[in-house]
Amino acid sequence: MKLAAFVSGLALVACALDLENGLMKAPPMGWLAWERFRCNTDCKTDPDNCISEKLFVDMIDRLADDGWKELGYVYVNIDDCWMAKKRDTSGKLIPDPERFPSGIKALADYAHSRGLKLGIYGDMGNYTCCGYPGTTLDRVEQDALTFAEWGVDMLKLDGCYSSEDEQAQGYPKMAMALNATGRPIAYSCSWPAYQGGLPPKVNYTLLANICNLWRNYGDIQDSWRSVLDIVDWFSANQDVLQPVAGPGHWNDPDMLIIGNFGLSDEQSRSQMALWTVLAAPLFMSTDLRTLSRSSREILQNRLMIKINQDPLGLQGRRVLRVQKSKSHIEVFLRPLSHSASALVFLSRRTDMPYRYTTSLSKLNFSASAVYEAQDVYSGGIISGLKAGENFTVIVNPSGVVMWYLYPTITLM
């Protein structure tokens, strides 16, 4: 059977996954191990930071006890390096017995007892990216059943050590296998990231029917340059990416690195604002045990989370790019429910705060209303904004000003 015909057929049989699992109608929120803790398996010399049962219990406790769960951060996601190096005698995946002595089911049960959900990692290929057992085509159903038996709530399926043909068969096959278990398991696909992230090699119509979210681009690193690289790629390709995101199926620009080592407070506020305007999943990858007060305030900003979780589910766009702005200020806009909008003014400058003057009409807002804006970080309110009148925002280098904007009066 030719590959194109195979994928076309799968589009029909798998078309109801997002309707059947009913999950992630808003961008998912939680914690993911990879960026901060990577594949550290040395529990003898680094017991607090290695990929182990202890690390995930600690993060479950922090999410449950420190106010995260109530805000929507409910997923605790294991990434690579949790497995034993070989499957058991029956061919099942098993966790490393020294680092996860109680097993994954016990960890999932503990997460559930604390009102949280557990995510796990697999790889559509011969090996995971770090060399642990992968999920080959003949193991898809078995691994899906194993995850369901353990009580797992989410699967991130990577794509190392597999061919284009194996990915084209395997990712839809896993969607059907997860559905067949009868357990609601959210499904994160890395498939598009391995195919360049864009059509014609990536079929986003198919993806939206088989995956709840997907990685489009390369892994984030702990640096401002990496954040900007991702934002620039998403913005350059927004005409393709923006229409395919929505309730139950999201583009995923990767983890939040706020609270780690590579971002200043200004840059941390910028990443949070930009991920929110992109309607991105909010998966923190930081050490919640040692998180600073300023990072916590950014990540727990209630208005920011309200905007991210907006039920309309539209992804925002960059409406003014730096090449057309001598000020080196970029503007992003996300339409929200109830005729509201999120506006982000991002400085690409590296010198000093900049006074940026514009008007709502220049950003294509209707002149038939008067608006009010709430600064998402300061909480300040600006009332009586008319579309044709200029306003000024002061944006710090590599920082943002973010507004929650809504009409208050309709003009005749």
Side-chain angles (χ1 to χ4, degrees):
M1 183 183 293
K2 292 184 178 180
L3 178 59
F6 179 80
V7 173
S8 177
L10 284 172
L12 296 175
V13 297
C15 66
L17 174 72
D18 59 338
L19 298 178
E20 288 185 27
N21 75 14
L23 301 172
M24 296 186 172
K25 295 304 183 183
M29 299 170 60
W31 182 90
L32 200 160
W34 179 254
E35 204 294 315
R36 175 60 181 84
F37 294 98
R38 304 286 173 148
C39 190
N40 178 3
T41 58
D42 186 0
C43 293
K44 291 183 179 179
T45 59
D46 197 8
D48 291 334
N49 299 301
C50 65
I51 301 304
S52 67
E53 184 176 294
K54 179 185 183 305
L55 176 67
F56 292 97
V57 168
D58 284 352
M59 295 306 154
I60 289 168
D61 287 342
R62 296 281 57 78
L63 287 180
D65 293 339
D66 296 345
W68 301 99
K69 177 179 68 174
E70 292 76 12
L71 294 170
Y73 291 97
V74 296
Y75 284 95
V76 180
N77 287 1
I78 304 169
D79 209 272
D80 206 346
C81 306
W82 62 269
M83 304 172 194
K85 281 292 188 178
K86 293 182 179 180
R87 292 172 178 263
D88 71 10
T89 54
S90 66
K92 285 188 175 183
L93 292 172
I94 54 172
D96 183 281
E98 294 185 3
R99 293 183 285 114
F100 292 86
S102 303
I104 301 301
K105 186 180 187 308
L107 191 59
D109 288 345
Y110 183 65
H112 298 156
S113 75
R114 305 233 56 194
L116 299 170
K117 300 179 180 182
L118 188 75
I120 205 162
Y121 169 97
D123 186 281
M124 176 47 59
N126 293 319
Y127 304 98
T128 73
C129 297
C130 291
Y132 291 81
T135 300
T136 49
L137 291 173
D138 61 320
R139 297 287 190 184
V140 168
E141 289 91 350
Q142 182 180 33
D143 290 354
L145 281 170
T146 298
F147 298 145
E149 289 168 0
W150 287 344
V152 165
D153 303 291
M154 177 178 171
L155 170 65
K156 172 186 173 183
L157 193 63
D158 217 332
C160 285
Y161 301 104
S162 57
S163 68
E164 185 174 337
D165 180 67
E166 288 168 332
Q167 290 175 11
Q169 295 182 58
Y171 278 100
K173 187 175 182 180
M174 179 59 84
M176 291 185 285
L178 291 173
N179 237 19
T181 69
R183 178 173 181 79
I185 300 177
Y187 185 29
S188 172
C189 305
S190 296
W191 187 12
Y194 286 88
Q195 301 301 325
L198 296 170
K201 295 193 75 173
V202 177
N203 181 344
Y204 278 109
T205 301
L206 172 62
L207 274 171
N209 286 324
I210 66 168
C211 307
N212 294 113
L213 65 160
W214 49 78
R215 287 285 310 286
N216 317 69
Y217 194 58
D219 288 356
I220 196 168
Q221 306 299 323
D222 193 6
S223 74
W224 179 234
R225 179 65 263 167
S226 180
V227 171
L228 289 180
D229 184 47
I230 292 169
V231 170
D232 285 343
W233 186 85
F234 269 76
S235 298
N237 298 294
Q238 62 188 9
D239 288 345
V240 171
L241 301 175
Q242 190 268 343
V244 301
H249 46 92
W250 307 99
N251 294 306
D252 182 4
D254 212 4
M255 295 158 279
L256 295 167
I257 57 172
I258 298 159
N260 293 336
F261 311 101
L263 302 186
S264 67
D265 283 350
E266 288 291 342
Q267 293 160 353
S268 295
R269 283 187 280 271
S270 295
Q271 192 197 10
M272 190 70 176
L274 292 164
W275 262 232
T276 291
V277 86
L278 289 174
L282 300 181
F283 286 123
M284 305 177 287
S285 189
T286 188
D287 192 338
L288 298 176
R289 300 166 297 192
T290 59
L291 193 66
S292 70
R293 180 178 177 180
S294 60
S295 293
R296 184 189 304 271
E297 288 175 350
I298 293 167
L299 291 162
Q300 292 190 344
N301 184 302
R302 290 179 179 273
L303 181 54
M304 184 74 72
I305 292 169
K306 175 184 174 180
I307 295 168
N308 176 268
Q309 299 287 288
D310 185 78
L312 198 59
L314 291 177
Q315 181 173 311
R317 301 171 64 91
R318 183 172 64 184
V319 296
L320 179 67
R321 61 192 181 101
V322 74
Q323 289 87 341
K324 294 185 177 181
S325 169
K326 295 180 180 179
S327 64
H328 294 280
I329 302 295
E330 294 187 336
V331 184
F332 296 78
L333 170 65
R334 179 181 172 188
L336 304 172
S337 56
H338 307 297
S339 301
S341 302
L343 270 175
V344 173
F345 304 91
L346 168 69
S347 176
R348 304 293 289 252
R349 303 178 72 92
T350 58
D351 53 358
M352 61 186 295
Y354 187 82
R355 297 178 64 86
Y356 178 68
T357 299
T358 187
S359 68
L360 294 177
S361 63
K362 291 176 183 177
L363 301 175
N364 295 320
F365 280 83
S366 170
S368 63
V370 177
Y371 299 86
E372 186 168 273
Q374 182 174 358
D375 188 299
V376 176
Y377 282 119
S378 74
I381 301 289
I382 304 169
S383 300
L385 283 167
K386 295 181 179 179
E389 295 178 352
N390 283 348
F391 61 85
T392 300
V393 291
I394 302 173
V395 194
N396 293 336
S398 69
V400 293
V401 169
M402 184 174 183
W403 281 4
Y404 177 56
L405 187 78
Y406 41 89
T408 55
I409 301 174
T410 300
L411 301 176
M412 300 301 292

